[in-house]
Amino acid sequence: MARANATYYAGRDPFADFVTAPEISQIFGEILGAWVAVTWQAMGRPALFRLIEAGPGRGTLMADMLRLLARVAPDCHQAARVHLLEQSPRLRAVQHAALAGRGAWPVAWHAHLADVPEGPSILLANEFLDALPIRQFVRTADGWDERFVQGVGFVTVPAHDVPWGAAAGELFGRPVPLGEILEFCPEALAVAESVAARLSHAPGAGLFIDYGYDGAIWGDTLQALRDGQPAWPLADPGQADLTAHVDFAAFAAAARQGGALCHGSVTQGAFLAGLGLFARAEQLARGRAAAEAHAIRDAAQRLAAPDRMGRLFKVLALTSPGLPAPPGFQAHE
Ligand code: SAH
């Protein structure tokens, strides 16, 4: 799956297959830009900090955040050094074009977080964790099998290492029914650990937005999207976007273990509504032609309504120890 997705992001325009929050409304990036400014203040307004985005796609979110920062928080804008974590050369070129002229040069690209210079940092990641490869384990009468891809199907073999220690067939004390699948994303946990390590060495924060679950849950969430339609995940590797739901509880546990404070998760709908999504939509819609005003309001609904992206998508923040709960999480302390 790792290789299939690397081929996919390097070879196709992923945005023909799915639409992400920053592409739906500019308000998404504006709210996250304001979040960055407030967090930077709480960090003590460092004269220089790394503004890092993991998996920046078309660069839209970063461009919207920088535009907002330049307008309402010029000191923060000036302190920001932009670092993009992107492996696809093709998307790097798209991001370059999106960010040219944003007054934030030089923008640096890296394959890994470890390559970003040390110091204060704020990292954002929207729909990044779901693209990382997962392992799947199937509960059997004797314990667990691991499921592997073979050709266009799956094979299962007895698991020799069950990562969460549920060897007896339990997940956090709950017995997992026979035949059920548990997922495990080692790369996501490695991201949690490396962000937490950064945050324990220098002030900073991380914000992770993705669709997923927060709790001990099982089930097969591997899915593929091709041309906007669900596809069989194992057909034509590299031609469809492969994703899995993010296990926020496991991610938070790894981050806590690494020394970071965790805030949330909260639902995307509650997060965005609490930070002014609808007020901003009204402001943008005012004075526009009816169809345009409707499109602006509908985009806001699409991001926040529980039956659209508002509930399935979750937001989790990590901060350095000693920092206050960031915007959108205060009520959840
Ligand atoms: N955040 C963007 C794009 C999401 S798509 C948006 O919201 O629109 C996932 C992004 O993560 C793509 O940019 C993809 O190339 C990148 N990506 C996937 N796996 C990666 C990895 N292992 N390292 C760095 N980037 C990765």
Side-chain angles (χ1 to χ4, degrees):
M1 186 173 151
R3 222 165 0 125
N5 245 9
T7 310
Y8 169 76
Y9 283 112
R12 285 178 61 107
D13 175 8
F15 300 93
D17 294 316
F18 58 88
V19 183
T20 58
E23 309 295 335
I24 290 170
S25 170
Q26 68 182 69
I27 306 175
F28 187 77
E30 292 172 345
I31 287 177
L32 296 199
W35 191 92
V36 167
V38 174
T39 302
W40 172 74
Q41 292 202 1
M43 286 158 57
R45 305 169 64 93
L48 188 156
F49 75 102
R50 311 287 164 185
L51 179 56
I52 309 167
E53 187 180 352
R58 281 182 174 162
T60 310
L61 171 59
M62 185 55 81
D64 287 342
M65 290 197 301
L66 291 173
R67 186 169 39 79
L68 184 285
L69 288 175
R71 201 173 72 221
V72 308
D75 294 354
C76 177
H77 184 257
Q78 205 151 39
R81 298 292 177 275
V82 176
H83 295 266
L84 302 179
L85 305 181
E86 176 61 69
Q87 291 182 339
S88 155
R90 180 186 165 127
L91 284 177
R92 285 186 182 197
V94 175
Q95 292 151 15
H96 188 278
L99 292 170
R102 291 281 167 208
W105 297 97
V107 171
W109 278 266
H110 314 273
H112 304 286
L113 181 60
D115 303 329
V116 178
E118 287 177 3
S121 57
I122 300 180
L123 179 144
L124 301 110
N126 184 61
E127 290 210 43
F128 168 70
L129 298 174
D130 70 74
L132 301 176
I134 53 165
R135 294 174 70 184
Q136 289 190 327
F137 295 87
V138 188
R139 172 86 169 92
T140 65
D142 312 328
W144 296 92
D145 282 350
E146 182 160 5
R147 199 158 92 132
F148 291 98
V149 173
Q150 191 176 68
V152 293
F154 289 109
V155 289
T156 52
V157 298
H160 53 86
D161 62 328
V162 180
W164 56 92
E170 289 197 345
L171 181 65
F172 302 123
R174 285 166 66 196
V176 177
L178 281 185
E180 282 293 349
I181 288 179
L182 276 193
E183 295 180 339
F184 184 72
C185 185
E187 287 190 31
L189 302 187
V191 168
E193 280 163 21
S194 59
V195 173
R198 254 196 102 90
L199 300 182
S200 17
H201 290 115
L207 193 69
F208 293 87
I209 305 168
D210 229 306
Y211 50 98
Y213 48 95
D214 197 347
I217 287 175
W218 46 80
D220 175 13
T221 75
L222 179 63
Q223 54 187 346
L225 272 183
R226 185 170 181 178
D227 302 324
Q229 298 297 322
W232 169 236
L234 306 185
D236 305 328
Q239 297 303 311
D241 179 49
L242 291 182
T243 76
H245 287 206
V246 172
D247 180 348
F248 278 99
F251 186 86
R256 241 179 249 120
Q257 181 84 19
L261 293 182
C262 292
H263 312 271
S265 66
V266 298
T267 63
Q268 173 168 297
F271 179 79
L272 294 177
L275 297 181
L277 171 70
F278 295 110
R280 176 67 175 144
E282 285 314 310
Q283 190 185 38
L284 288 174
R286 207 171 299 141
R288 308 263 180 144
E292 229 181 314
H294 174 77
I296 291 168
R297 293 193 181 103
D298 185 61
Q301 286 294 338
R302 183 168 173 188
L303 293 178
D307 58 342
R308 299 172 85 181
M309 293 169 79
R311 186 183 296 140
L312 179 58
F313 280 74
K314 314 268 186 307
V315 189
L316 179 81
L318 310 181
T319 60
S320 297
L323 288 189
F329 298 93
Q330 278 98 351
H332 298 268
E333 284 300 277

Coordinates of all heavy atoms in Angstrom, one line a residue, residues 55-123:
G55 N 2.2 17.0 3.9 CA 1.2 16.6 2.9 C 0.4 17.8 2.4 O -0.8 17.8 2.4
P56 N 1.0 18.9 1.8 CA 0.3 20.1 1.5 C -0.5 20.1 0.2 O -1.1 21.1 -0.1 CB 1.4 21.2 1.4 CG 2.7 20.5 1.3 CD 2.5 19.0 1.7
G57 N -0.5 18.9 -0.5 CA -1.4 18.8 -1.6 C -1.1 19.9 -2.7 O 0.0 20.0 -3.2
R58 N -2.1 20.7 -3.0 CA -2.0 21.8 -4.0 C -1.4 23.0 -3.4 O -1.3 24.0 -4.1 CB -3.3 22.1 -4.6 CG -3.8 21.2 -5.6 CD -5.1 21.7 -6.2 NE -5.5 20.8 -7.3 CZ -6.8 20.8 -7.7 NH1 -7.7 21.5 -7.2 NH2 -7.1 20.0 -8.7
G59 N -1.2 23.1 -2.1 CA -0.6 24.3 -1.5 C -1.7 25.3 -1.1 O -1.3 26.4 -0.6
T60 N -2.9 25.0 -1.3 CA -4.0 25.9 -1.1 C -4.1 26.3 0.4 O -4.3 27.5 0.7 CB -5.3 25.3 -1.5 OG1 -5.2 24.8 -2.8 CG2 -6.5 26.3 -1.5
L61 N -4.0 25.4 1.3 CA -4.1 25.7 2.7 C -3.0 26.6 3.1 O -3.3 27.7 3.8 CB -4.1 24.4 3.6 CG -4.0 24.6 5.1 CD1 -5.2 25.3 5.6 CD2 -3.9 23.2 5.8
M62 N -1.8 26.3 2.8 CA -0.7 27.2 3.1 C -0.9 28.6 2.5 O -0.6 29.6 3.2 CB 0.7 26.6 2.7 CG 1.9 27.3 3.2 SD 2.0 27.7 5.0 CE 2.6 26.1 5.6
A63 N -1.3 28.7 1.3 CA -1.5 30.0 0.6 C -2.6 30.8 1.4 O -2.4 32.0 1.6 CB -1.9 29.8 -0.8
D64 N -3.7 30.1 1.7 CA -4.7 30.8 2.4 C -4.3 31.3 3.8 O -4.6 32.4 4.3 CB -6.0 30.0 2.6 CG -6.7 29.8 1.2 OD1 -6.5 30.6 0.3 OD2 -7.5 28.8 1.1
M65 N -3.5 30.4 4.5 CA -3.0 30.8 5.8 C -2.1 32.0 5.7 O -2.2 33.0 6.5 CB -2.3 29.6 6.5 CG -3.2 28.5 6.9 SD -2.4 27.4 8.1 CE -1.0 26.8 7.2
L66 N -1.2 32.0 4.8 CA -0.2 33.1 4.7 C -0.9 34.4 4.3 O -0.5 35.5 4.8 CB 0.9 32.7 3.6 CG 1.8 31.6 4.0 CD1 2.7 31.2 2.9 CD2 2.7 32.0 5.2
R67 N -1.9 34.3 3.4 CA -2.7 35.5 3.1 C -3.3 36.1 4.3 O -3.2 37.3 4.6 CB -3.7 35.2 2.0 CG -4.5 36.3 1.4 CD -5.3 35.9 0.2 NE -5.9 34.6 0.4 CZ -7.0 34.3 1.1 NH1 -7.7 35.3 1.6 NH2 -7.5 33.1 1.2
L68 N -3.9 35.3 5.1 CA -4.6 35.8 6.4 C -3.5 36.3 7.3 O -3.7 37.4 7.9 CB -5.3 34.6 7.0 CG -6.2 34.7 8.3 CD1 -5.3 34.9 9.5 CD2 -7.2 35.8 8.1
L69 N -2.4 35.7 7.5 CA -1.4 36.1 8.4 C -0.8 37.5 8.0 O -0.6 38.4 8.8 CB -0.2 35.1 8.5 CG -0.6 33.8 9.3 CD1 0.6 32.8 9.2 CD2 -0.9 34.1 10.8
A70 N -0.6 37.6 6.7 CA 0.0 38.9 6.2 C -1.0 40.0 6.5 O -0.5 41.1 6.8 CB 0.3 38.8 4.7
R71 N -2.3 39.7 6.4 CA -3.3 40.8 6.6 C -3.5 41.1 8.1 O -3.5 42.3 8.5 CB -4.6 40.3 6.0 CG -5.5 41.5 5.6 CD -6.7 41.0 4.8 NE -7.6 40.2 5.7 CZ -8.2 39.1 5.3 NH1 -8.0 38.6 4.1 NH2 -9.0 38.4 6.1
V72 N -3.6 40.1 8.9 CA -4.1 40.4 10.3 C -3.0 40.1 11.4 O -3.1 40.5 12.5 CB -5.4 39.6 10.7 CG1 -6.5 39.8 9.7 CG2 -5.1 38.1 10.9
A73 N -1.9 39.4 11.0 CA -0.9 39.2 12.0 C 0.5 39.3 11.3 O 1.3 38.3 11.2 CB -1.0 37.8 12.6
P74 N 0.8 40.5 10.9 CA 2.1 40.7 10.1 C 3.3 40.3 10.8 O 4.3 39.8 10.2 CB 2.1 42.2 9.7 CG 1.0 42.8 10.5 CD 0.1 41.8 11.0
D75 N 3.4 40.5 12.2 CA 4.6 40.0 13.0 C 4.8 38.5 12.9 O 5.9 38.0 12.7 CB 4.4 40.4 14.4 CG 4.4 41.9 14.6 OD1 4.6 42.6 13.7 OD2 4.1 42.3 15.8
C76 N 3.6 37.8 13.0 CA 3.7 36.4 12.9 C 4.1 35.9 11.5 O 4.9 35.0 11.3 CB 2.3 35.8 13.3 SG 2.2 34.0 13.2
H77 N 3.5 36.6 10.5 CA 3.8 36.3 9.1 C 5.3 36.4 8.9 O 6.0 35.6 8.2 CB 3.0 37.2 8.2 CG 3.2 37.0 6.7 ND1 4.0 37.7 5.9 CD2 2.7 36.0 6.0 CE1 4.0 37.2 4.7 NE2 3.2 36.2 4.7
Q78 N 5.9 37.5 9.4 CA 7.3 37.8 9.2 C 8.2 36.8 9.9 O 9.3 36.5 9.4 CB 7.6 39.2 9.8 CG 8.8 39.8 9.2 CD 8.7 41.3 9.2 OE1 8.2 41.9 10.1 NE2 9.1 42.0 8.1
A79 N 7.7 36.3 11.0 CA 8.5 35.3 11.8 C 8.5 33.9 11.2 O 9.3 33.1 11.5 CB 8.0 35.2 13.2
A80 N 7.5 33.6 10.3 CA 7.3 32.3 9.8 C 8.3 31.9 8.7 O 8.5 32.7 7.8 CB 5.9 32.2 9.2
R81 N 8.9 30.7 8.8 CA 9.7 30.2 7.8 C 8.9 28.9 7.3 O 8.7 28.0 8.1 CB 11.1 29.8 8.2 CG 11.9 30.9 8.7 CD 12.3 31.9 7.6 NE 13.0 33.1 8.1 CZ 12.4 34.2 8.6 NH1 11.1 34.3 8.6 NH2 13.1 35.2 9.0
V82 N 8.6 28.9 6.0 CA 7.6 27.8 5.6 C 8.4 26.6 5.2 O 9.4 26.6 4.4 CB 6.8 28.3 4.4 CG1 5.9 27.2 3.9 CG2 5.9 29.5 4.9
H83 N 8.0 25.4 5.7 CA 8.6 24.1 5.4 C 7.5 23.2 5.0 O 6.6 22.9 5.7 CB 9.4 23.6 6.6 CG 10.5 24.4 7.0 ND1 11.8 24.2 6.5 CD2 10.6 25.5 7.7 CE1 12.6 25.1 7.0 NE2 11.9 25.9 7.7
L84 N 7.6 22.6 3.8 CA 6.6 21.7 3.3 C 7.1 20.3 3.3 O 8.2 20.0 2.7 CB 6.1 22.1 1.9 CG 5.5 23.5 1.8 CD1 5.1 23.9 0.4 CD2 4.4 23.7 2.8
L85 N 6.4 19.3 3.9 CA 6.8 17.9 3.8 C 6.0 17.3 2.7 O 4.8 17.1 2.8 CB 6.5 17.2 5.2 CG 7.1 17.9 6.4 CD1 6.8 17.1 7.7 CD2 8.6 18.0 6.3
E86 N 6.7 17.0 1.6 CA 6.0 16.4 0.4 C 7.0 15.5 -0.3 O 8.1 15.9 -0.5 CB 5.6 17.6 -0.5 CG 4.9 17.1 -1.8 CD 3.7 16.3 -1.5 OE1 2.7 16.9 -1.1 OE2 3.7 15.1 -1.8
Q87 N 6.5 14.3 -0.7 CA 7.4 13.4 -1.3 C 7.2 13.4 -2.8 O 8.1 13.1 -3.6 CB 7.2 12.0 -0.8 CG 7.8 11.9 0.6 CD 7.7 10.5 1.2 OE1 6.9 9.7 0.8 NE2 8.5 10.3 2.3
S88 N 6.1 13.9 -3.3 CA 5.8 13.8 -4.7 C 6.4 15.0 -5.5 O 6.0 16.2 -5.2 CB 4.2 13.8 -4.9 OG 3.9 14.3 -6.2
P89 N 7.3 14.8 -6.4 CA 7.9 15.9 -7.2 C 6.8 16.7 -7.9 O 6.9 17.9 -8.0 CB 8.9 15.2 -8.1 CG 9.0 13.8 -7.6 CD 7.8 13.5 -6.8
R90 N 5.8 16.0 -8.4 CA 4.8 16.6 -9.2 C 4.0 17.6 -8.3 O 3.7 18.7 -8.7 CB 3.9 15.5 -9.7 CG 2.7 16.0 -10.5 CD 1.9 14.8 -10.8 NE 0.6 15.2 -11.3 CZ 0.1 14.8 -12.4 NH1 0.7 14.0 -13.2 NH2 -1.1 15.3 -12.8
L91 N 3.7 17.2 -7.1 CA 2.9 18.1 -6.2 C 3.8 19.2 -5.7 O 3.3 20.3 -5.4 CB 2.3 17.3 -5.0 CG 1.0 16.5 -5.4 CD1 0.5 15.7 -4.2 CD2 -0.1 17.4 -5.9
R92 N 5.1 18.9 -5.5 CA 6.0 20.0 -5.1 C 5.9 21.2 -6.1 O 5.9 22.3 -5.8 CB 7.5 19.5 -5.0 CG 7.7 18.7 -3.8 CD 9.2 18.4 -3.6 NE 9.4 17.6 -2.5 CZ 10.6 17.4 -1.9 NH1 11.7 17.9 -2.4 NH2 10.8 16.6 -0.8
A93 N 5.9 20.8 -7.4 CA 5.8 21.9 -8.5 C 4.5 22.6 -8.4 O 4.4 23.9 -8.5 CB 5.9 21.2 -9.8
V94 N 3.4 21.9 -8.1 CA 2.1 22.6 -7.9 C 2.1 23.5 -6.7 O 1.6 24.7 -6.8 CB 1.0 21.5 -7.7 CG1 -0.4 22.2 -7.5 CG2 0.9 20.6 -9.0
Q95 N 2.7 23.1 -5.6 CA 2.8 23.9 -4.4 C 3.7 25.1 -4.7 O 3.4 26.2 -4.2 CB 3.4 23.0 -3.3 CG 2.5 21.9 -2.8 CD 3.2 20.7 -2.2 OE1 4.3 20.8 -1.9 NE2 2.4 19.6 -2.1
H96 N 4.7 24.9 -5.4 CA 5.6 26.1 -5.7 C 4.8 27.1 -6.5 O 4.9 28.3 -6.1 CB 6.8 25.5 -6.6 CG 7.8 26.5 -6.9 ND1 7.7 27.5 -7.9 CD2 9.0 26.7 -6.3 CE1 8.8 28.3 -7.9 NE2 9.6 27.8 -6.9
A97 N 4.0 26.7 -7.4 CA 3.2 27.7 -8.2 C 2.2 28.4 -7.3 O 2.0 29.6 -7.4 CB 2.5 27.0 -9.3
A98 N 1.6 27.6 -6.3 CA 0.5 28.2 -5.5 C 1.1 29.2 -4.5 O 0.4 30.2 -4.1 CB -0.2 27.1 -4.7
L99 N 2.4 29.0 -4.1 CA 2.9 29.9 -3.1 C 3.8 31.0 -3.6 O 4.2 31.9 -2.9 CB 3.7 29.0 -2.1 CG 2.8 28.1 -1.3 CD1 3.6 27.1 -0.5 CD2 1.9 28.9 -0.3
A100 N 4.1 31.0 -4.9 CA 4.9 32.1 -5.5 C 4.2 33.4 -5.2 O 3.0 33.5 -5.4 CB 5.1 31.8 -6.9
G101 N 4.9 34.4 -4.8 CA 4.3 35.7 -4.6 C 3.5 35.9 -3.3 O 2.8 36.8 -3.1
R102 N 3.7 34.9 -2.4 CA 3.0 35.0 -1.1 C 3.8 35.7 -0.1 O 3.5 35.8 1.1 CB 2.6 33.6 -0.6 CG 1.5 33.0 -1.4 CD 0.2 33.5 -1.0 NE -0.8 33.1 -2.0 CZ -1.9 33.7 -2.4 NH1 -2.2 34.9 -1.8 NH2 -2.7 33.2 -3.3
G103 N 5.0 36.1 -0.4 CA 5.9 36.9 0.5 C 6.4 36.0 1.6 O 6.6 36.4 2.7
A104 N 6.6 34.7 1.4 CA 7.1 33.8 2.4 C 8.3 33.0 1.9 O 8.5 31.9 2.4 CB 6.0 32.9 2.9
W105 N 9.0 33.6 1.0 CA 10.1 32.8 0.5 C 11.3 33.0 1.4 O 11.4 34.0 2.0 CB 10.4 33.3 -1.0 CG 9.3 33.0 -1.8 CD1 8.3 33.8 -2.2 CD2 9.0 31.7 -2.4 NE1 7.4 33.2 -3.0 CE2 7.8 31.9 -3.1 CE3 9.6 30.5 -2.4 CZ2 7.2 30.9 -3.8 CZ3 9.0 29.5 -3.1 CH2 7.8 29.6 -3.8
P106 N 12.3 32.1 1.4 CA 12.2 30.9 0.6 C 11.3 29.8 1.3 O 11.4 29.7 2.5 CB 13.7 30.4 0.6 CG 14.2 31.0 1.9 CD 13.5 32.2 2.2
V107 N 10.6 29.1 0.5 CA 9.8 27.9 1.0 C 10.8 26.7 0.8 O 11.4 26.6 -0.2 CB 8.5 27.7 0.2 CG1 7.9 26.4 0.6 CG2 7.6 28.9 0.4
A108 N 10.9 25.9 1.9 CA 11.8 24.7 1.8 C 10.9 23.5 1.7 O 9.9 23.4 2.4 CB 12.7 24.7 3.0
W109 N 11.3 22.5 0.9 CA 10.6 21.2 0.8 C 11.5 20.2 1.4 O 12.7 20.2 1.2 CB 10.4 20.9 -0.7 CG 9.1 21.5 -1.2 CD1 7.9 21.0 -1.3 CD2 9.1 22.8 -1.8 NE1 7.0 21.9 -1.8 CE2 7.7 23.0 -2.2 CE3 10.0 23.9 -2.1 CZ2 7.2 24.2 -2.8 CZ3 9.5 25.0 -2.7 CH2 8.2 25.2 -3.0
H110 N 10.9 19.3 2.1 CA 11.6 18.1 2.7 C 10.8 16.9 2.5 O 9.5 16.9 2.4 CB 11.8 18.3 4.2 CG 12.3 19.7 4.6 ND1 13.6 20.1 4.6 CD2 11.6 20.8 4.9 CE1 13.8 21.3 4.9 NE2 12.6 21.8 5.1
A111 N 11.5 15.7 2.6 CA 10.7 14.5 2.6 C 10.3 14.1 4.0 O 9.3 13.4 4.2 CB 11.6 13.4 2.0
H112 N 11.1 14.5 5.0 CA 10.8 14.1 6.4 C 10.9 15.2 7.4 O 11.7 16.1 7.2 CB 11.8 13.0 6.8 CG 11.8 11.8 5.8 ND1 10.8 10.9 5.8 CD2 12.7 11.5 4.9 CE1 11.1 10.0 4.8 NE2 12.2 10.3 4.3
L113 N 10.1 15.1 8.4 CA 10.1 16.1 9.5 C 11.5 16.3 10.1 O 11.9 17.4 10.4 CB 9.1 15.7 10.6 CG 9.0 16.7 11.8 CD1 8.6 18.1 11.3 CD2 8.0 16.2 12.8
A114 N 12.3 15.2 10.2 CA 13.6 15.2 10.8 C 14.5 16.2 10.0 O 15.5 16.7 10.6 CB 14.2 13.8 10.8
D115 N 14.2 16.5 8.8 CA 15.1 17.4 8.0 C 14.8 18.8 8.2 O 15.5 19.7 7.7 CB 14.9 17.1 6.5 CG 15.2 15.6 6.2 OD1 16.0 15.0 6.9 OD2 14.6 15.0 5.2
V116 N 13.7 19.2 8.9 CA 13.4 20.6 9.2 C 14.3 21.1 10.4 O 14.3 20.4 11.4 CB 11.9 20.7 9.6 CG1 11.6 22.2 9.9 CG2 11.0 20.2 8.5
P117 N 14.9 22.2 10.2 CA 15.8 22.7 11.3 C 15.1 22.8 12.7 O 13.8 23.0 12.7 CB 16.2 24.1 10.8 CG 16.0 24.1 9.4 CD 14.9 23.1 9.1
E118 N 15.8 22.6 13.7 CA 15.2 22.7 15.1 C 14.7 24.0 15.4 O 15.0 25.0 14.7 CB 16.3 22.3 16.1 CG 16.7 20.8 16.1 CD 17.8 20.5 17.0 OE1 18.3 21.4 17.8 OE2 18.2 19.3 17.0
G119 N 14.0 24.1 16.6 CA 13.5 25.4 17.1 C 12.0 25.4 17.1 O 11.4 24.4 16.8
P120 N 11.5 26.6 17.5 CA 10.0 26.7 17.7 C 9.3 26.4 16.4 O 9.8 26.7 15.3 CB 9.8 28.2 18.0 CG 11.1 28.7 18.5 CD 12.2 27.8 17.9
S121 N 8.2 25.7 16.5 CA 7.5 25.3 15.2 C 6.0 25.1 15.4 O 5.5 24.8 16.5 CB 8.1 24.0 14.7 OG 8.0 23.0 15.7
I122 N 5.3 25.3 14.4 CA 3.8 25.0 14.3 C 3.6 24.1 13.1 O 4.0 24.5 12.0 CB 3.0 26.2 14.2 CG1 3.2 27.1 15.5 CG2 1.5 25.8 14.1 CD1 2.4 28.4 15.5
L123 N 3.1 22.9 13.3 CA 2.9 22.0 12.2 C 1.4 21.7 12.0 O 0.7 21.5 12.9 CB 3.6 20.7 12.5 CG 3.5 19.6 11.5 CD1 4.8 18.8 11.4 CD2 2.4 18.6 11.7

